Amino acid sequence: TLHRTTSAKTRATATLRQRHIPPNVMHKFMEDLDEINKELNSIAEEVTKDAAENYQKIRQIFKNEYQLPEVDPLRFEICLCLTLGLYQAAITLTNHLLEKYLKIALIYVETNQKITVENVEGLFKQSIDNYSNKDLSTTINACCTKGIITKAQKKDLEQFKNRIRNPFSHADMKKTFEGMTIPAQIGKIDYNSKENILKVEREFNITINNFPPFQGIAQAIMAKEISFSYFEYLDNLIRTTLNKIIK
């Protein structure tokens, strides 16, 4: 990191001199560059503190592609998000992977033709028109009807839709927290007291979905708890149904 930083600063300094940048401007630029590097190092430390443990959980998913370029980039990015502790981002991408894969599966099953030189441009148009704008409930039902997923998988996906996909995608506070409560205290600070500076006036349980100031942290904690299992389930579903859409 030090070598890269030094090399970058050396190149930047040479470039500025070639362009006849005034010394005071150059000094400000170098100060900004040092500050940026410090900030980037701080970010790197924060996002990699749990990386080894997180990567172990999704390592095999990361290493083994679907061989389906339509959705493999999503698999790759979700793995990165989970490894780096970006759990809410991972859920958002997993939601997208869910919808994208089901639509791709329906399009390929319905088309049921091989790509040729003659049909390459219009081969998938009709199937895309049929499913591109369909909502998730419709695509889940269609995949079950066509035998791409089982009835048990359909039930699981409907639960994921109602408990994770819809609440997170639509920022539905009531569905996200479903009446979850946490203990809270209200009081005042007594600066004259050396032993008990905080005077608690009331203790109670507060419902998170009714109190937005608590929702940001609560959602981040929740995302960490559910993001791995959500992605792992969908990854397994994809791998066990690929042979039904790619023949």
Side-chain angles (χ1 to χ4, degrees):
T1 302
L2 179 60
H3 173 71
R4 291 198 299 270
T5 301
T6 304
S7 299
K9 289 174 67 175
T10 302
R11 291 194 300 271
T13 302
T15 301
L16 290 170
R17 284 174 176 167
Q18 289 174 1
R19 296 177 180 177
H20 307 291
I21 306 297
N24 62 321
V25 175
M26 183 183 296
H27 179 70
K28 179 65 168 60
F29 175 81
M30 300 311 294
E31 282 186 341
D32 288 346
L33 188 60
D34 285 337
E35 200 63 32
I36 288 171
N37 276 293
K38 289 177 183 177
E39 292 166 5
L40 289 175
N41 287 333
S42 178
I43 291 172
E45 289 177 7
E46 176 64 26
V47 299
T48 57
K49 63 183 180 182
D50 297 321
E53 179 181 351
N54 288 345
Y55 179 64
Q56 287 294 328
K57 297 177 183 178
I58 49 86
R59 183 180 177 216
Q60 293 307 313
I61 300 176
F62 181 76
K63 291 173 62 178
N64 295 285
E65 298 180 354
Y66 301 138
Q67 301 299 321
L68 195 65
E70 298 84 341
V71 294
D72 258 320
L74 288 169
R75 174 197 57 81
F76 176 79
E77 289 191 23
I78 295 167
C79 287
L80 290 184
C81 286
L82 290 172
T83 298
L84 299 177
L86 307 176
Y87 308 113
Q88 295 182 86
I91 287 178
T92 299
L93 284 174
T94 305
N95 290 339
H96 185 65
L97 175 62
L98 169 60
E99 297 213 46
K100 183 64 176 287
Y101 177 71
L102 295 184
K103 289 180 179 181
I104 288 293
L106 288 166
I107 289 166
Y108 284 179
V109 166
E110 186 169 289
T111 303
N112 197 27
Q113 295 180 39
K114 291 185 177 180
I115 299 175
T116 66
V117 175
E118 292 77 17
N119 69 13
V120 63
E121 290 183 336
L123 177 62
F124 301 108
K125 184 180 184 307
Q126 186 58 56
S127 298
I128 290 173
D129 289 344
N130 290 342
Y131 295 110
S132 180
N133 65 346
K134 293 297 186 288
D135 60 36
L136 184 54
S137 292
T138 301
T139 55
I140 290 174
N141 288 329
C143 281
C144 186
T145 299
K146 292 181 178 293
I148 300 170
I149 60 174
T150 65
K151 290 182 178 179
Q153 289 171 328
K154 173 188 171 183
K155 185 177 180 180
D156 290 339
L157 292 182
E158 287 173 343
Q159 290 182 343
F160 281 123
K161 175 180 72 71
N162 294 328
R163 297 179 62 182
I164 301 178
R165 183 266 189 184
N166 286 355
F168 273 78
S169 294
H170 304 312
D172 190 322
M173 301 172 193
K174 291 184 177 180
K175 290 182 179 179
T176 299
F177 303 107
E178 292 185 318
M180 292 172 54
T181 62
I182 59 172
Q185 295 179 334
I186 292 180
K188 60 183 179 181
I189 297 176
D190 183 358
Y191 293 101
N192 296 321
S193 174
K194 295 181 179 180
E195 297 180 357
N196 190 18
I197 191 170
L198 178 62
K199 300 292 185 180
V200 177
E201 297 181 339
R202 183 186 171 203
E203 294 184 0
F204 61 102
N205 289 328
I206 190 166
T207 304
I208 295 176
N209 60 296
N210 290 333
F211 196 67
F214 286 174
Q215 291 174 5
I217 295 175
Q219 183 169 298
I221 294 172
M222 181 186 298
K224 183 177 181 179
E225 293 177 352
I226 65 177
S227 54
F228 285 95
S229 58
Y230 180 29
F231 177 52
E232 287 165 354
Y233 178 90
L234 183 55
D235 173 79
N236 182 67
L237 182 143
I238 291 172
R239 294 182 192 276
T240 56
T241 57
L242 276 173
N243 63 337
K244 298 179 181 180
I245 68 170
I246 301 178
K247 300 177 182 179

